[in-house]
């Protein structure tokens, strides 16, 4: 009887450990968003975690972004386009299902603002900039709101008047 109880406890512990081990470090993924296109190791690490565990629109939005970032980290032109197109389609799908999600619109704005024009993915820059001015202050997560604001402020996408509204 004691052996059976022991094995039940071991199995329960293993199950709990596997569930806890599957948490997605979304705060770290958010923080590293600004370097994912520059740092291949960071990009691969986060993409792998997101592909396995992303289960919310925001997590899938970051997964889409990291897919697009991978285009910069491969030399094969076919893989570049595949990473980019798949990521773009994933992000647009998430935005279509949650068009009022501030963080998804932030992700798209950042991607569209910085990618080369020849990729033809620049149609929503003004729309997303305006959306963020009108809605960033409504974000309940103070840390995420501050992270987004600081990134956008440093990116020089907004003039002083827009930044004042964005930072309210």
């Amino acid at each position: 009887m004691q052996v059976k109880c022991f094995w039940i406890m071991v199995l329960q512990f293993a199950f709990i450990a596997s569930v806890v081990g599957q948490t997605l470090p979304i705060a770290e993924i958010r923080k590293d968003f600004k370097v994912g296109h520059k740092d291949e190791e960071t990009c691969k690490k986060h993409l792998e975690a997101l592909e396995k565990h992303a289960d919310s629109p925001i997590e899938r939005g970051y997964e889409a972004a990291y897919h697009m970032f991978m285009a910069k980290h491969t030399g094969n032109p076919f893989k570049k386009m595949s990473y980019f197109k798949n990521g773009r389609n994933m992000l647009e799908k998430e935005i279509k299902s949650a068009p009022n999600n501030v963080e998804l619109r932030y992700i798209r704005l950042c991607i569209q603002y910085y990618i080369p024009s020849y990729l033809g993915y620049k149609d929503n820059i003004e729309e997303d900039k305006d959306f963020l001015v009108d809605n960033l202050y409504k974000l309940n997560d103070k840390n995420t709101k501050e992270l987004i604001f600081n990134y956008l402020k440093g990116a020089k996408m907004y003039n002083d008047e827009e930044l004042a509204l964005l930072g309210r």
Side-chain angles (χ1 to χ4, degrees), residues 31-46:
K31 181 181 70 71
D32 288 343
F33 176 70
K34 63 185 175 191
V35 296
H37 65 285
K38 297 177 192 172
D39 185 338
E40 184 175 358
E41 187 176 317
T42 298
C43 184
K44 284 181 178 180
K45 176 181 82 170
H46 290 323

Side-chain angles (χ1 to χ4, degrees), residues 44-106:
K44 284 181 178 180
K45 176 181 82 170
H46 290 323
L47 181 57
E48 184 177 307
L50 287 159
E51 285 178 331
K52 289 180 184 174
H53 305 295
D55 64 356
S56 73
I58 291 169
E59 291 168 350
R60 289 188 297 268
Y62 280 108
E63 179 184 356
Y66 280 93
H67 266 278
M68 287 185 266
F69 293 162
M70 279 303 296
K72 191 162 184 174
H73 301 304
T74 184
N76 181 320
F78 296 108
K79 277 189 166 187
K80 279 183 181 293
M81 282 310 290
S82 177
Y83 275 125
F84 177 75
K85 284 182 180 180
N86 288 340
R88 180 193 63 207
N89 292 340
M90 291 169 65
L91 183 57
E92 289 302 321
K93 178 182 175 189
E94 292 305 321
I95 291 173
K96 187 174 182 178
S97 70
N100 295 321
N101 186 297
V102 170
E103 204 160 351
L104 291 175
R105 301 289 284 270
Y106 157 72

Side-chain angles (χ1 to χ4, degrees), residues 117-132:
S117 297
Y118 66 82
L119 290 171
Y121 190 52
K122 296 233 180 224
D123 296 342
N124 308 100
I125 293 173
E126 291 305 317
E127 171 191 343
D128 289 344
K129 279 179 64 178
D130 293 344
F131 179 85
L132 289 170

Side-chain angles (χ1 to χ4, degrees), residues 13-37:
F13 178 76
F15 174 75
I16 291 168
S18 72
V19 170
V20 170
Q22 291 181 2
T23 59
L24 198 57
I26 193 66
E28 183 181 339
I29 288 167
R30 280 183 180 118
K31 181 181 70 71
D32 288 343
F33 176 70
K34 63 185 175 191
V35 296
H37 65 285

Side-chain angles (χ1 to χ4, degrees), residues 126-153:
E126 291 305 317
E127 171 191 343
D128 289 344
K129 279 179 64 178
D130 293 344
F131 179 85
L132 289 170
V133 166
D134 293 340
N135 293 285
L136 182 61
Y137 77 95
K138 297 176 187 175
L139 198 60
N140 292 327
D141 182 340
K142 181 183 173 190
N143 291 333
T144 301
K145 184 183 346 182
E146 188 176 306
L147 183 80
I148 290 172
F149 174 75
N150 287 334
Y151 180 87
L152 293 174
K153 181 179 176 184

